[in-house]
């Protein structure tokens, strides 16, 4: 009695892969599908079982079934299998007696399925080997897209670009290919040149086509701007697109990512809240104040789901820094930089190297960032930060901070860093004059804290108090403001802020007594 082959396809169409898998096991062991008499039928049955296993993410077993299917398929005499080259896909097979004369197995499709399984197992070389065995003219859109991803993972940029370009020649709306080409350094002009020309005879039709594609051209330009670290240009283009497509979730997410990179946290949070994406990274941020390990777990989950998930690597690096594990942070930020060398990965690496006292590596990374982003004030500040970490480099740091402020006068981060240098070198008046220029435009707690610290150091306690209170009104959780205010209140009472509290002294005495008692008992 035969097992109904078409029922397996029906089960798969309904997402019932486990039932399809069980039925498929009966199918391949059926006596009517004897391999010697009917190798084509055996091959078809094995592919069906492989499909069920693939749906169930049983990749190893699926690969085994597909490879067996190809062996039986290749054993069919050429004159019999010649017509199979234009055969139907495995989901449209017929179980009629005619199938005993013509194999319905498409060898290229089966190779693609094997490659997909290897890719899911992170076996890039094995996956590429299968795909490279498919003639270039026979490769489908899916095949080229997967090849591009695999070549990119293998750092073969030239081959990856060729695959992604082929995708866009077939269908220019493959957004994954557009983003990948932008990140691989292909210019907007070269990407846009792949837009197919309309076959319309009249000039008006061609004009309408180009006009309708203008939004997509802007999208390409925006992606290329971001990939080349021109964040300002990218945001302007996204803002233009958002006017044409209000509340577009994808554009809001892209804008939020860029805003997070350049430190516009309030704007980034607002756009993330509108889009509600990046679930695991968002959860990681929520966990950050409660449980570092829990936050780290969420960041790692985001990477497990998508191995190219850059925010996940960035979050891991930041969490490792919070946990005082700078060596692990270096690895995480390197992972982000390898995927896309943007400002966040450079900033994280510099901070991590400095935390490891690897000043040479930090300076090399900061200079690399400056070279990649010559018009970025934040890249200039990064070099200044490295020089500022060494007393002998403070004069150089000052020059870099001043250059950053000339390039971007409203860059508060550079102003705060320069003010800190002024304080260290005893130029408190210069620090106050610099910071007060930003009070009109910035309601920032860190700005008020820095002013409070300067005023406190110059014994202008009432001014310091006002700024600590202003900082806490803006952000009641600012730890620096809390500690500074506590210290200031002791100063204002005439108490030495560095003297230990009575409770602390008693605690110390009790500890000493406990140690002595333990020694006596021993």
């Amino acid at each position: 009695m035969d097992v109904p082959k078409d029922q397996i396809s029906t089960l798969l169409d309904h997402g019932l892969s486990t039932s399809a898998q069980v039925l498929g096991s009966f199918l391949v062991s059926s006596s009517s599908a004897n391999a010697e008499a009917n190798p084509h039928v055996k091959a078809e049955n094995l592919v069906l079982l492989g499909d069920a296993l693939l749906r169930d993410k049983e990749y190893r077993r699926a690969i085994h079934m597909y490879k067996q299917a190809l062996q039986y398929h290749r054993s069919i005499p050429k004159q019999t299998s010649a017509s199979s080259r234009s055969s139907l896909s495995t989901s449209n097979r017929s179980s009629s007696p005619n199938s005993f004369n013509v194999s319905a197995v498409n060898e290229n499709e089966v190779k693609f399925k094997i490659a997909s399984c290897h890719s899911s197992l992170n076996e890039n070389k094995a996956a590429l080997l299968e795909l490279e065995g498919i003639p270039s003219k026979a490769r489908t859109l899916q095949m080229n897209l997967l090849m591009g991803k695999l070549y990119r993972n293998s750092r073969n940029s030239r081959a990856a670009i060729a695959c992604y370009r082929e995708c866009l020649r077939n269908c220019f709306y493959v957004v994954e290919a557009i983003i990948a080409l932008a990140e691989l350094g292909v210019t907007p002009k070269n990407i846009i040149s792949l837009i197919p020309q309309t076959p319309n005879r009249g000039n008006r039709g061609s004009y309408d086509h180009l006009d309708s594609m203008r939004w997509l051209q802007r999208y390409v330009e925006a992606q290329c701007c971001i990939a080349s670290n021109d964040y300002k240009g990218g945001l302007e283009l996204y803002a233009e697109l958002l006017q044409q497509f209000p509340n577009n979730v994808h554009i809001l997410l892209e804008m939020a990512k860029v805003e997070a990179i350049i430190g516009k946290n309030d704007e980034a949070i607002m756009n993330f809240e509108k889009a509600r994406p990046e679930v695991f990274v968002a959860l990681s941020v929520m966990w950050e104040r409660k449980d570092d390990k829990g936050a780290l777990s969420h960041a790692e989950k985001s990477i497990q789901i998508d191995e190219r998930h850059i925010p996940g690597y960035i979050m891991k690096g930041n969490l490792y820094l919070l946990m005082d594990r700078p060596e692990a942070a270096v690895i995480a930020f390197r992972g982000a930089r390898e995927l896309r060398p943007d400002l966040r990965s450079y900033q994280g690496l510099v901070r991590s190297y400095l935390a490891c006292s690897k000043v040479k590596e930090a300076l090399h990374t900061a200079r690399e960032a400056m070279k990649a982003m010559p018009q970025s004030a934040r890249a200039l500040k990064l070099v200044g930060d490295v020089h500022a970490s060494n007393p002998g480099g403070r004069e150089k740091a000052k020059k870099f901070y001043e250059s950053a402020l000339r390039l971007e006068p409203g860059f508060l981060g550079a102003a705060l860093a320069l003010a800190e240098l002024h304080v260290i070198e005893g130029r408190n008046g210069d620090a106050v004059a610099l910071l007060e220029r930003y009070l009109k435009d910035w309601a920032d707690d860190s700005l008020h804290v820095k002013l409070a610290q300067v005023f406190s150091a110059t014994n202008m306690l009432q001014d310091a108090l006002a700024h600590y209170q202003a900082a806490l009104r803006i952000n009641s959780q600012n730890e620096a403001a809390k500690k500074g205010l506590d210290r200031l209140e002791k100063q204002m009472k005439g108490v030495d802020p560095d003297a230990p509290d009575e409770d602390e002294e008693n605690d110390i005495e009790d500890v000493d007594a406990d140690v002595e008692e333990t020694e006596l008992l021993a």
Side-chain angles (χ1 to χ4, degrees), residues 85-86 106-112 130-144 147 166 170:
R85 290 171 188 154
S86 60
N106 185 314
E107 186 171 340
N108 294 332
E109 286 183 7
V110 176
K111 286 182 177 179
F112 173 65
E130 293 295 334
L131 290 172
E132 287 171 344
I134 300 173
S136 57
K137 291 183 179 179
R139 290 174 194 154
T140 64
L141 194 59
Q142 279 184 306
M143 293 174 186
N144 277 312
M147 282 190 81
E166 193 60 36
N170 290 313

Side-chain angles (χ1 to χ4, degrees), residues 192-204:
I192 292 168
S193 69
L194 299 171
I195 297 177
Q197 298 298 313
T198 55
N200 295 350
R201 296 177 182 176
N203 292 333
R204 178 65 185 173

Side-chain angles (χ1 to χ4, degrees), residues 259-260 263-273 442-444:
E259 287 160 346
K264 292 188 175 182
N265 295 330
D266 291 340
E267 293 91 333
I269 289 170
M270 183 176 67
N271 283 324
F272 273 130
E273 286 176 345
W442 286 89
D444 185 273

Side-chain angles (χ1 to χ4, degrees), residues 368-390:
E368 186 182 317
M370 190 173 64
K371 185 178 179 181
M373 297 169 274
Q375 296 303 312
S376 170
R378 284 161 177 78
L380 287 171
K381 178 186 176 292
L382 210 52
V383 181
D385 291 343
V386 180
H387 286 303
S389 68
N390 175 20

Side-chain angles (χ1 to χ4, degrees), residues 15-32:
L16 303 174
S17 53
T18 301
S19 296
Q21 187 183 142
V22 173
L23 195 60
S25 68
F26 283 100
L27 183 66
V28 297
S29 59
S30 170
S31 58
S32 63

